Each structure stands twice: as structure tokens, then as C-alpha cells.
Amino acid sequence: MPVSHPTVYEPLTEQGAISLTVRLGLFPEGTPLACREIGDGNLNLVFRVVDQQTKKGIIVKQALPYAKVVGESWPLTLKRAVIESNALRTFASYVPQYVPKVYYSDESLAITVMEDLSHLQIARKGLIEGKTYPLLSQHIGEFIAKTSFYTSDFGMNQQEKKQLAQSFVNPELCKITEDLVFTDPFFNHETNNFEDELRDDVEALWNDDKLRLEVAKLKRKFLTEGDALIHGDLHTGSIFASDEETKIIDPEFAFYGPFGFDIGQFFANLLLNALSRPEQQQEPLFAHIDKTWDVFATIFSDLWRTHNVEPYAKTEGLLEDVLHHTFIDAIGFAGCEVIRRTIGLAHVADLDGIEDKEERLQAKRYALRLGRSLILQRETLSSTKEIRSLFAQTVLA
Ligand code: SR1
């Protein structure tokens, strides 16, 4: 029986996802296929279509016209599916080893069909189980260094960069970050979500004028600095990992933003995991932060010296200045993300999953203090190694 294929947007069903993969010739005719919706993110439907004999799978991802985490009352552009597939393709041109292969995308149906990564685990889940993923930071550092350098004014033709930046203008998704990461948690806003027991700590944040000024400066950077094509939502739930492999997914928040943003979000989510662990098990997370920065700075600097297109590139001190500001910004962005994941919308399981209520509240109080210290003291840190002592002071204070 012929199957009809929608040409105007409608949410896919499991049968619809199977039909699509067959129509695209991704499975041979007659393959016994099964499909399940496996999306556990905040925004999209994710179908896994599997050949029941070989167990080989394909992922069909579809954007919903609203934010799943909130419901239909929060409409959200479908254009984010095009941003996501184009970002995956752009990243793949520099670091194919770190992103899933895209087989097909359809703008009007907001669909991306891509490689199944089920042999890997979402890094957040693994880290919560106590895994350490020895190559995670090596891979993330390389991913960020290469994608940011090659899409920046230092790594590509500066006219083409402007055109690329235009194709990644992403106002709706940027607004989510502007609101949820940089604004709402620092005001008494209805999107915030925290336990009554934290009210005093949260109100202290809202009344902290020094903090408010620094967050405003960081938000301004996010709003205005178009250094490079960044992922825009690089938390540990956007990373599939194993001991050998790392794949970065879900770049629907991608846009031209500040160099330090992805690094900061990654740092923050490692720190949130560290806050959920006993002290003796925290070191691998700090080591990942050190390594991410070291790898990023080393590769970025090598590319700067060997592939730079900007006439000022060899000017004494310019690379150091770029790295210095990227570092400080990353620490500040990390502070905002730590606070946001604790009291704002879209928490993390690292903290919310702590079963004992008193321990959970304590970890969240530490997170608020840590976030604040990262933001206020970002310019005093001279290396990632010092994050350990900042963390210890916060937790012991
Ligand atoms: C309404 S979207 C909430 C969050 O989910 C995404 O993964 C981003 O982190 C966003 O802030």
C-alpha cells in the first residue's frame, strides 16, 4: 500500500518516521523495522528506527513548534531544525569525528535524519553514575578550538564569515539563553524554579548589586560578540560519550557568539556534577576542566600561528589578549550557567537527582555560592587550576 508523505509540517508518528527512512533508502526494501520515540530533551521529538535483524539504527529528529519542557504555551520557531542540521554540517567540515553524520534534512518538516549514536551514552548520565570518560576533555577542547578558530575572522575569509554568520542568525533560541541563563535567575521571575528552603539564598542573589553588574556585562558580551560559530548549548546533556569516543549533538542554539561561551557552559556542567559527588571523586572533573582549556588554548594557538588570515595576527600580544579574554569570559559564563541550572528553568539531574533532601539543598546552596564566586572573581583567576581552590572555599565557607 503506498504511504503518503506529508509536505506541510505535522508532528511525526513512529510509523511516519519508519516510512521516511524507507523512502530515503536508508534501509533496504523489506527490512523489518521498529521505531520508538526516545527524546528526553527539552524541545524535540527523537525517533530511533531500528533494523530488527541487524539492530542497526537511524535517528529521525523533529523540532516541535513549542518547547516540550514547558508545553504548547511556549511557541518556538521550527527554523531551529535548519540551524541544527547546518551547524552539524559546518562542524563536520572541521571535526567530523565529533558530530553525528547528517543523512537528510527537511526544512518545512523541521526534520533531521542522522547517525544513531546509541552505542554511546549521554555524558551527563554517565557522569552521574560516576564514569569519568578519560578522553572527554581532549575531544571537547579540540572540537571548540577548531570550530571556533576556523569560523572566526582569524580562520576564514572575513567576507564569507559575515555571510556564514548571517545564515546562523538565531534570535528565538538566543533569547531563550538571554532570558534563562543571563536574566531570569537574577530577578524575581516566574520562570524560576527552586525549593522554598532556598528562598533566602536566592533573594540574596537578587539583591546583590555587585553581582548584577557583572552578569549584565556578561550578558552584553553574549548579545554583541560574534566571534565564531558556537554550539550555544554545550552542556553534558548535549554530548554522547564512551571511554573512546565523543560526539556533540543538538546544536540548535548555534549562532555567532563569544569564543568563551561553549567552554563556560561545559565547565559549568562539570562543576555541577562535581557538586553532586563526594569530595574524593571530584578530581576527574577538575582535571577535565584543566585539560579542556589546555587543549583548546594549544590547538587554537597552533592554528592562529599557522592558518591565520588576519594581517594583525602576528602582532605581539594579540593572541594572548584573545585567549585571556576568552578565559575570563568562560569562567563568568560558567558562573551564570551554574546559577541558572540551580534556580532557573531547566535544571540538571546532577543536582535534582540527589536523593537526600538536606544534601540536595546543601549542594544547591554551594552551587549558588560557586556561581557567584566564578562571576565575581573571574578576572582574578590566572589558570583553571585555581578553580579547585575557589570551589573548596565556596564549599567550606
Ligand atoms: C526552554 S529550553 C530550556 C533549555 O533546554 C535547552 O537544552 C537549553 O539549555 C535551554 O536553555
Side-chain angles (χ1 to χ4, degrees):
M1 190 179 66
V3 188
S4 71
H5 300 295
T7 49
V8 285
Y9 182 86
E10 63 181 58
L12 269 181
T13 59
E14 292 176 347
Q15 192 49 51
I18 291 182
S19 308
L20 177 64
T21 57
V22 172
R23 180 164 61 95
L24 294 173
L26 294 168
F27 292 103
E29 199 76 23
T31 306
L33 295 171
C35 177
R36 212 156 56 82
E37 203 279 315
I38 56 166
D40 65 354
N42 294 326
L43 303 174
N44 306 295
L45 293 173
V46 182
F47 298 93
R48 181 164 182 255
V49 182
V50 189
D51 177 335
Q52 290 181 287
Q53 273 161 0
T54 64
K55 305 295 176 210
K56 184 183 165 306
I58 296 275
I59 294 297
V60 179
K61 179 170 176 179
Q62 186 182 39
L64 286 166
Y66 54 86
K68 203 166 99 184
V69 66
V70 178
E72 297 190 28
S73 61
W74 187 331
L76 209 53
T77 174
L78 293 174
K79 194 186 165 224
R80 66 189 197 273
V82 191
I83 296 271
E84 170 162 351
S85 51
N86 287 345
L88 286 173
R89 289 185 174 112
T90 306
F91 293 149
S93 66
Y94 307 116
V95 280
Q97 67 277 33
Y98 298 137
V99 284
K101 288 188 195 75
V102 174
Y103 300 126
Y104 172 80
S105 58
D106 182 316
E107 181 165 356
S108 49
L109 303 181
I111 282 173
T112 308
V113 180
M114 62 191 131
E115 186 183 4
D116 179 24
L117 301 171
S118 312
H119 62 293
L120 307 175
Q121 186 183 27
I122 287 291
R124 186 184 307 287
K125 289 199 182 121
L127 292 170
I128 291 172
E129 288 166 11
K131 298 201 175 117
T132 52
Y133 299 121
L135 297 178
L136 182 66
S137 40
Q138 168 79 41
H139 293 167
I140 296 294
E142 182 180 350
F143 170 82
I144 299 175
K146 290 191 172 161
T147 55
S148 357
F149 178 79
Y150 282 122
T151 61
S152 77
D153 284 304
F154 304 107
M156 72 183 291
N157 174 291
Q158 295 174 350
Q159 303 308 300
E160 285 167 21
K161 181 238 174 182
K162 288 175 184 65
Q163 265 156 7
L164 188 63
Q166 216 167 42
S167 72
F168 280 101
V169 169
N170 196 358
E172 292 91 341
L173 281 276
C174 283
K175 175 150 171 57
I176 292 180
T177 305
E178 289 150 21
D179 291 346
L180 297 186
V181 177
F182 291 106
T183 312
D184 301 355
F186 303 95
F187 290 85
N188 186 359
H189 198 280
E190 62 186 8
T191 56
N192 290 329
N193 169 24
F194 55 86
E195 292 85 344
D196 287 342
E197 291 85 342
L198 295 177
R199 179 154 287 272
D200 287 349
D201 305 78
V202 174
E203 285 187 353
L205 277 189
W206 292 342
N207 294 320
D208 188 334
D209 291 340
K210 235 166 55 177
L211 182 69
R212 185 167 286 198
L213 172 61
E214 296 311 313
V215 175
K217 290 182 193 168
L218 289 159
K219 180 177 177 184
R220 180 172 168 274
K221 282 178 171 284
F222 184 83
L223 285 164
T224 59
E225 291 185 4
D227 288 325
L229 180 65
I230 64 169
H231 179 285
D233 194 27
L234 193 50
H235 55 80
T236 49
S238 299
I239 301 169
F240 268 110
S242 70
D243 281 357
E244 297 83 28
E245 268 184 281
T246 305
K247 300 271 184 189
I248 287 115
I249 59 166
D250 290 354
E252 63 213 304
F253 284 75
F255 79 114
Y256 260 76
F259 280 139
F261 189 72
D262 285 347
I263 304 173
Q265 289 231 311
F266 184 56
F267 282 2
N269 283 271
L270 294 174
L271 290 168
L272 287 160
N273 186 264
L275 283 164
S276 75
R277 291 186 178 202
E279 196 184 334
Q280 330 67 270
Q281 290 167 33
Q282 290 167 352
E283 180 47 34
L285 282 316
F286 295 124
H288 272 321
I289 290 177
D290 294 339
K291 182 98 183 183
T292 305
W293 179 259
D294 290 348
V295 170
F296 166 78
T298 305
I299 296 178
F300 189 92
S301 304
D302 286 348
L303 292 172
W304 180 285
R305 290 185 199 102
T306 54
H307 287 73
N308 214 310
V309 299
E310 165 57 46
Y312 277 107
K314 291 196 169 67
T315 308
E316 181 88 21
L318 184 61
L319 169 62
E320 291 68 22
D321 185 69
V322 169
L323 287 177
H324 175 66
H325 284 102
T326 301
F327 179 79
I328 292 173
D329 296 349
I331 302 291
F333 292 140
C336 297
E337 170 77 351
V338 165
I339 291 175
R340 166 278 166 104
R341 295 288 180 192
T342 309
I343 60 169
L345 189 96
H347 286 195
V348 289
D350 311 58
L351 295 186
D352 278 2
I354 300 174
E355 276 175 25
D356 181 85
K357 184 173 177 187
E358 274 321 304
E359 273 178 40
R360 186 169 65 249
L361 289 171
Q362 191 58 274
K364 291 189 176 191
R365 286 196 184 96
Y366 291 153
L368 295 182
R369 280 196 232 158
L370 176 64
R372 181 177 182 277
S373 305
L374 289 165
I375 295 166
L376 292 182
Q377 295 182 46
R378 65 192 191 283
E379 298 194 14
T380 68
L381 298 186
S382 56
S383 90
T384 53
K385 302 248 179 326
E386 292 172 22
I387 293 177
R388 285 175 185 73
S389 45
L390 197 80
F391 188 97
Q393 284 159 20
T394 305
V395 171
L396 298 176

